[in-house]
Amino acid sequence: ILSSCYHGVLNLEQTPYSDLKIIFQALTVPGINGENAIDILLEKTEEGWCINGKFGNVYSANPVVKKVLKAEDVEVVLLKLVQTKIASSPRWVMGLDGTTYIVKVENGLNVATYEWWSYLPKDWEAIGDLVRKLYEWVGYSGRIDELEEDF
């Protein structure tokens, strides 16, 4: 997992999302054009909302994207996420080749993990919206069609 952009003591105004940390990972088997892994970390630091992203071959030493985002851009997405009810039991699916996606939403010691194979479950639209924004913020322009619909 990627490390924080900045370190230090935080003094934040409490909101439903002020302590959230978002960890996103995707692994495609087999890889498409040699690219098979994405890792993104979004967290609030003393500098603001910081995002780190790495994509490419899981074995390569690709550079990491690190930047501080505008608070209002991040908070709109996170507020939607915390206000949305997400189904706890998606439909059953199985396959061999494809992409496994994992989104972890951490809030202190509590963690909600959403993991799916290939196409995003219909009831998890807020998770798909979050992942599309994470991709946009780190400049990832690869395959996102699997986030569009459940087959």
Side-chain angles (χ1 to χ4, degrees):
I1 294 294
L2 301 166
S3 63
S4 300
C5 282
Y6 303 97
H7 301 282
V9 179
L10 304 181
N11 183 10
L12 306 172
E13 180 181 327
Q14 285 300 113
T15 65
Y17 47 77
S18 49
D19 292 325
L20 291 184
K21 179 190 290 186
I22 307 293
I23 300 166
F24 171 75
Q25 297 176 303
L27 181 63
T28 302
V29 177
I32 300 168
N33 297 327
E35 300 220 354
N36 66 345
I38 305 166
D39 287 300
I40 300 173
L41 170 66
L42 174 68
E43 66 182 333
K44 193 158 190 178
T45 69
E46 62 187 16
E47 300 296 322
W49 284 101
C50 182
I51 192 162
N52 293 321
K54 177 182 175 188
F55 38 91
N57 187 300
V58 71
Y59 302 109
S60 68
N62 289 346
V64 174
V65 174
K66 292 184 179 184
K67 62 183 174 180
V68 177
L69 303 170
K70 291 181 182 177
E72 57 270 15
D73 293 344
V74 175
E75 291 167 2
V76 165
V77 175
L78 295 183
L79 186 59
K80 179 179 179 183
L81 182 66
V82 299
Q83 291 179 340
T84 302
K85 295 199 183 307
I86 300 171
S88 61
S89 181
R91 69 170 178 75
W92 186 89
V93 66
M94 175 181 154
L96 297 175
D97 294 344
T99 303
T100 299
Y101 298 90
I102 302 169
V103 172
K104 290 183 182 179
V105 180
E106 296 183 1
N107 197 355
L109 296 176
N110 293 327
V111 179
T113 301
Y114 303 92
E115 184 172 346
W116 69 98
W117 178 80
S118 261
Y119 291 91
L120 181 74
K122 288 181 183 178
D123 296 338
W124 290 7
E125 185 178 317
I127 299 294
D129 292 344
L130 170 66
V131 172
R132 279 188 285 280
K133 289 306 281 187
L134 293 173
Y135 281 1
E136 177 186 320
W137 291 331
V138 297
Y140 179 72
S141 59
R143 185 174 184 179
I144 62 167
D145 60 320
E146 292 183 340
L147 298 175
E148 300 303 324
E149 61 184 68
D150 186 344
F151 61 89

